[in-house]
Amino acid sequence: MRPVRKTPAHTTDKLAELVCSNTFKSTETSNAHGLLKAEMRALGSMILECADAARVPAGSALAVDRDAFASAVTAKIASHPNIEVTREEVTTLEPCSIIATGPLTSDALAEAIRQRLGVGALAFYDAIAPIVSRESIDETIAFQASRYGRETMEGEGEEGAYLNCPMSKEEYDAFISALTTADQFHGHEFDEAPYFEGCMPVEVAAGRGAETLRFGPMKPVGLQDPRSGSRPHAVVQLRREDRHGRMWNLVGFQTRLRIPEQQRVFRMIPGLANAEFLRYGSIHRNSYLNSPAALSSHLSLRDDPTVLFAGQITGVEGYTESSATGLLAGINLSRIIGGDEPVIPPPVTMLGALYRYMREADPTHFQPMNANFGLVDDLPETIRDKKRKRELIAERALAAMAEWNESIESDARVAETS
Ligand SMILES: Cc1cc2nc3c(=O)[nH]c(=O)nc-3n(C[C@H](O)[C@H](O)[C@H](O)COP(=O)(O)OP(=O)(O)OC[C@H]3O[C@@H](n4cnc5c(N)ncnc54)[C@H](O)[C@@H]3O)c2cc1C
């Protein structure tokens, strides 16, 4: 719709304008973003082709000259014989379409989506708490329990659904002091939103008084540390984010601290000294759907499989993830129009694992997600060396993606000859 209608962040009339950083992150396949990009290349990503052409030196990261990148994408789209570019605001959901209107989806379209899917289906802000990997949590300190022994999840046995990091008074005081004095991110002007209840950054809550968190998310009531036999002074609770229990979310720790500060301050929590962050916390304007509650598995309306969603509005985070879901939405709409079923790569791939997350995540706690290894199925064997383990996961993913791609291309060949 640009430049006819502007957004608070974009400044040009180019397609694929990168509004903030100019990087698609790592190219190494032992990195989750690197693996996702390798999978996209296997599927012939036009976005990555343009990024390669606009690449600037940035070590192993794929960083681009943003003008050259957006110009390349715009030229490619505008010169394609089957594409007509119409610059106007879309305000209705029409059959045979892909809605990829991003975190700053216009109000009129957001309203149309809410009318179709229900008011709870589309959020306008995300308040994201960090997620750490299970294997990086020190289980000689963190203990599994639910408050008063309640909220135990089915199949969890007697131990409770949460991992609890206990704090002494000294540890709590030092933590609050570090939290309230840490360096925070101050976003774009439009991003300075008033905080909603339940969306307040943990450092803002802590700044209201030394005891505020101890009466909020860090309250120790109903919990007993099995090692000391007594109630801790304060507790940080972690809730599992995925079915396999590989990703754990710091409950109530949505934050605007800068990333190095999140590492420094949250590693002060007993049990998290060596925490591996699979996702960092953040809070910003973001229109996104509650995909597990509202969409089909290929991210379409449930009552019309030809209206697909892609990009950040589906609940993925980041340029690479958004482009990857756009690529799959294109493949699927083309298949549907050609009379084939929509398809999703297997969950051993990063793209397939992202789609699985958006299908199977708990709708009551759904938050946007970036590519990370916690989403992908584990290897059958135990590998201690983390880098080696990721390389093997990446090898498996790329082999699976090649096989999957071959199967959908052969569907396309059959369709062409029939
Ligand atoms: C301020 C800001 C900074 C960000 N920084 C980063 C970053 O550094 N790194 C990163 O990886 N991600 C960043 N993101 C997230 C980033 O926006 C997404 O990762 C990515 O751009 C999403 O791609 P998309 O195609 O889903 O949406 P977008 O890139 O936002 O594209 C959506 C397009 O739809 C248009 N549109 C909206 N409503 C309508 C409508 N009703 N009709 C027609 N067109 C419409 C918009 O004008 C826009 O051009 C940032 C987001 C914001 C808002």
Side-chain angles (χ1 to χ4, degrees), residues 104-279:
L104 305 172
T105 293
S106 75
D107 291 345
L109 184 61
E111 187 48 38
I113 294 171
R114 295 182 122 202
Q115 277 186 11
R116 185 80 176 254
L117 292 174
V119 282
L122 186 73
F124 292 111
Y125 292 89
D126 58 25
I128 289 185
I131 291 178
V132 298
S133 72
R134 171 72 186 240
E135 59 195 13
S136 70
I137 301 171
D138 185 344
E139 292 184 40
T140 63
I141 298 174
F143 61 94
Q144 211 168 348
S146 292
R147 271 183 222 292
Y148 301 111
R150 289 200 296 262
E151 307 167 89
T152 301
M153 281 176 6
E154 226 174 289
E156 279 296 302
E158 296 300 304
E159 289 179 304
Y162 292 83
L163 279 173
N164 301 277
C165 300
M167 276 190 192
S168 65
K169 180 167 182 342
E170 294 69 37
E171 287 164 337
Y172 178 78
D173 291 344
F175 178 69
I176 296 297
S177 158
L179 188 58
T180 48
T181 52
D183 195 11
Q184 296 177 24
F185 176 74
H186 297 286
H188 299 245
E189 205 181 312
F190 74 91
D191 222 1
E192 297 293 338
Y195 299 117
F196 294 107
E197 204 52 41
C199 190
M200 184 186 290
V202 66
E203 59 277 7
V204 173
R208 293 194 165 175
E211 292 292 283
T212 307
L213 292 184
R214 233 167 61 78
F215 286 94
M218 292 181 70
K219 61 179 179 286
V221 293
L223 290 166
Q224 195 181 53
D225 185 342
R227 281 153 200 129
S228 66
S230 56
R231 191 170 92 177
H233 183 70
V235 162
V236 174
Q237 288 202 300
L238 292 98
R239 184 180 55 227
R240 74 167 63 206
E241 189 72 21
D242 65 320
R243 269 182 323 156
H244 301 289
R246 288 193 297 268
M247 305 160 67
W248 289 75
N249 183 312
L250 276 71
V251 179
F253 274 63
Q254 56 276 3
T255 179
R256 298 197 73 161
L257 295 192
R258 291 184 184 281
I259 286 174
E261 293 290 77
Q262 292 190 39
Q263 293 170 340
R264 180 178 67 84
V265 177
F266 297 149
R267 284 185 182 142
M268 290 172 71
I269 297 168
L272 301 189
N274 298 311
E276 176 198 15
F277 290 85
L278 296 171
R279 183 186 72 187

Side-chain angles (χ1 to χ4, degrees), residues 32-102:
H33 291 93
L35 174 57
L36 184 58
K37 280 196 288 297
E39 294 175 6
M40 292 167 69
R41 286 184 196 286
L43 300 178
S45 167
M46 181 275 276
I47 290 291
L48 290 184
E49 206 182 288
C50 293
D52 289 339
R55 190 164 182 178
V56 296
S60 63
L62 174 55
V64 298
D65 173 322
R66 67 182 76 238
D67 286 330
F69 168 69
S71 298
V73 176
T74 307
K76 222 161 186 138
I77 300 278
S79 63
H80 194 288
N82 292 349
I83 299 178
E84 182 190 338
V85 178
T86 307
R87 292 178 181 270
E88 64 187 42
E89 182 183 8
V90 173
T91 56
T92 54
L93 297 173
E94 301 295 334
C96 286
S97 57
I98 297 174
I99 311 293
T101 43

Side-chain angles (χ1 to χ4, degrees), residues 334-348:
S334 153
R335 286 176 65 90
I336 292 167
I337 290 169
D340 284 322
E341 289 294 312
V343 285
I344 297 160
V348 293

Side-chain angles (χ1 to χ4, degrees), residues 1-2 7 20-21 89-90 100-103 106 190 311-312 318-319 322:
M1 68 180 178
R2 291 177 286 113
T7 78
C20 189
S21 92
E89 182 183 8
V90 173
T101 43
S106 75
F190 74 91
Q312 192 138 325
Y319 299 147
S322 298

Side-chain angles (χ1 to χ4, degrees), residues 1-2 5-10 14-25 86 88-91 100-110 188 190-191 284-286 310-314 316-323 325:
M1 68 180 178
R2 291 177 286 113
R5 233 191 135 79
K6 296 184 179 4
T7 78
H10 297 87
K14 296 212 172 89
L15 308 183
E17 178 182 331
L18 301 178
V19 287
C20 189
S21 92
N22 65 334
T23 167
F24 287 82
K25 302 188 179 159
T86 307
E88 64 187 42
E89 182 183 8
V90 173
T91 56
T101 43
L104 305 172
T105 293
S106 75
D107 291 345
L109 184 61
H188 299 245
F190 74 91
D191 222 1
H284 49 236
R285 253 296 294 280
N286 188 9
Q312 192 138 325
I313 197 170
T314 63
V316 296
E317 274 265 311
Y319 299 147
T320 311
E321 292 84 340
S322 298
S323 310
T325 57

Side-chain angles (χ1 to χ4, degrees), residues 359-396:
R359 183 175 69 242
E360 294 183 359
D362 177 0
T364 47
H365 301 295
F366 184 68
Q367 290 179 336
M369 183 59 71
N370 56 284
N372 73 77
F373 280 101
L375 295 168
V376 181
D377 282 350
D378 239 335
L379 294 169
E381 66 275 23
T382 309
I383 311 272
R384 294 256 167 258
D385 179 343
K386 206 160 88 183
K387 183 152 192 291
R388 183 67 197 134
K389 183 174 166 184
R390 291 179 170 187
E391 285 166 358
L392 289 172
I393 289 177
E395 277 170 28
R396 180 184 63 176

